[in-house]
Amino acid sequence: MPIQQQMNKFIQGIGASPGIVIGKAYLVERSKVRLPQKRINPEQVEEEVKRFLKAIQESRDQLIEIKERILDPEVSRHAFILDVHLMILDDEMLLQDTMDTIGKRKVNAEWALDLTLEKLDTAFKAIEDEYLRERRSDLHYVSQRIFRNLLGKKHDDITKIKGKVIVVAHDLSPADTLQMNLNHVAGFVTDIGGKISHTAILSRSLSIPAVAGLEVATSLINGGDLLIIDGETGEVVINPTEEISQSFVERKRRIKSMEREVLKYASLPAETCDGVRVRLQANIEMVEEIPSAKAHGADGIGLYRTEILYLNRKDLPTEEEHFQTYRRLAESISPASATIRTLDIGGDKFLANYSKGNEMNPAMGLRAIRFSMKETDIFKLQLRGILRASAYGNLRILFPMISGIEEVRQAKAILEEVKKGLAKARIPFQHEIKIGAMIEIPSASVTADILAREVDFFSIGTNDLIQYTLAIDRINEHVSYLYEPLHPAILRIIRSIVQSAHQGGIPAAICGEMAAEPAYALILLGLGLDEFSMNPISIPKVKKVLRISRFEETQSLVEELFRFSTASEIECYVRNWMAKRFPGDFIQCYTEDSKT
Ligand code: PEP
Ligand code: MG
């Protein structure tokens, strides 16, 4: 049965990276497909079995073709995995059981195969050997291929993207994203994830529009479908009519002209009308982003995420690689400073040889500074690289996921050890390099007064702080509506962190995505934050709102907000306040953002 083409179908997701693109869908196959479950008549059994065997044969041919196409000797060392998949396709139980189920239970091939897989899955789960048990994922991979062939969906291979396409996937890990040739990617569309998942952050920093949390994208979209995606509003249109395409092209043109208007603010100082100056810095993940950060008016790099150095490789970065990367960073941003965050692996980012994918709760597992304290050799290598690079510019070190004072002390002790080694070897470095703690775990915010005695600055990571304070998984689209930056708990926590920082005589910065929204930026200013760091493209609009506001009015606004008891009351008050204060300006992006 031919697959019905969706025409002009609108689906709503979460705007993860702004921008409108129109392009062909490129379906990444690890997607979960929705299976039609149908009862059949006895006379349809033979036809259904044939359909099933045809899908098996197609799957076999595809895997053989993929295997033959691998030319790179390094990659071909891993081709045995394709043999495992081919063996699964020949598995007697898989084939016979499915065919028997079609005949006996009179169900379609998809349903029958699903029932067989359930049995196999249970059998796999009971296996004691961990390696064999893990082969469940191969079974899953092969079965998704068979299902796709049954449904007539196209398969695509993540590494050989050609042309300019919109990548559609159930999920994309940061490692997946980086495996692709990003020159060929016009946009991303995923079933799961939200605004602050790492892939969303990466898309924003690369200026690639993305929509996440669509739930049904991979079920509804076929490879080759024409798509429009709006990374601001989270809208996706499948096979749009000419009229709809034109309306999006028009909107894109309007947004571009608004962007051009706001870009005028990039080169102006980040100063309120009543003379309060703040530092607006950029969050980046690659040195290549520095020209964009500067063009958008960044006053330094407030967060340099170092995970990319470690991802998509089997070995670890050497001290020399660390050093060269951070040196380029320091030199290209000089005389401004760059804050380098030490490895924040874990959560939704894993290292090839240290994968902790089996953790039940990765967001609360062995991640970030906890990982560094366990793998001290890896940590020391990175610290040596940072310290050596500090001789070439103005660098600061930031420790992620600090939960209490002991972690800071331990991390600093290791840093001292590394410094001693360098001093002994007469290698130059900045002896008084500033040390900061990310405040993104509730225990750190509650003990911020204690932490302030031990570090030179705080950087509030609201992406995680909101996640842990409100118990909202930052990548779970089902609870994203509860991810409320203006929750009274969050405002109170930020206020108390800033007070602790100032009483301890240190500055408080923010590097979570919250700072990138003009209305939130004003509230953060009123709460007393000293430094703001955000994705580069948001800097001009935040600069604009700061330049046309008075510090004193942001303080009064904050005072008002503390009178309310719910996030929605606060949201509503802020929206009205913005509309009144800046008629026709900012309100559009604020209401669109707040929908997510
Ligand atoms: C944060 O948690 O707010 C943050 C900036 O770090 P990341 O998004 O990399 O976890
Ligand atoms: Mg974080």
Side-chain angles (χ1 to χ4, degrees), residues 393-413:
N394 189 359
L395 294 181
R396 307 196 293 186
I397 298 177
L398 181 59
F399 296 131
M401 299 287 296
I402 292 295
S403 64
I405 190 81
E406 275 173 332
E407 274 163 349
V408 177
R409 287 187 182 143
Q410 284 165 11
K412 279 175 67 178

Side-chain angles (χ1 to χ4, degrees), residues 198 201 303 305 341 438 440 461-464 474 511-512:
H198 282 100
I201 293 172
L303 174 65
R305 291 184 169 95
R341 183 177 72 183
M438 286 280 293
E440 51 186 343
T462 43
N463 304 343
D464 277 314
R474 62 191 269 186
C511 62

Side-chain angles (χ1 to χ4, degrees), residues 246-262:
Q246 276 313 317
S247 70
F248 274 88
V249 168
E250 177 53 25
R251 193 173 128 68
K252 184 173 175 164
R253 204 188 50 72
R254 261 187 291 124
I255 291 174
K256 278 266 169 279
S257 94
M258 262 161 58
E259 273 172 11
R260 266 197 301 277
E261 198 274 321
V262 96

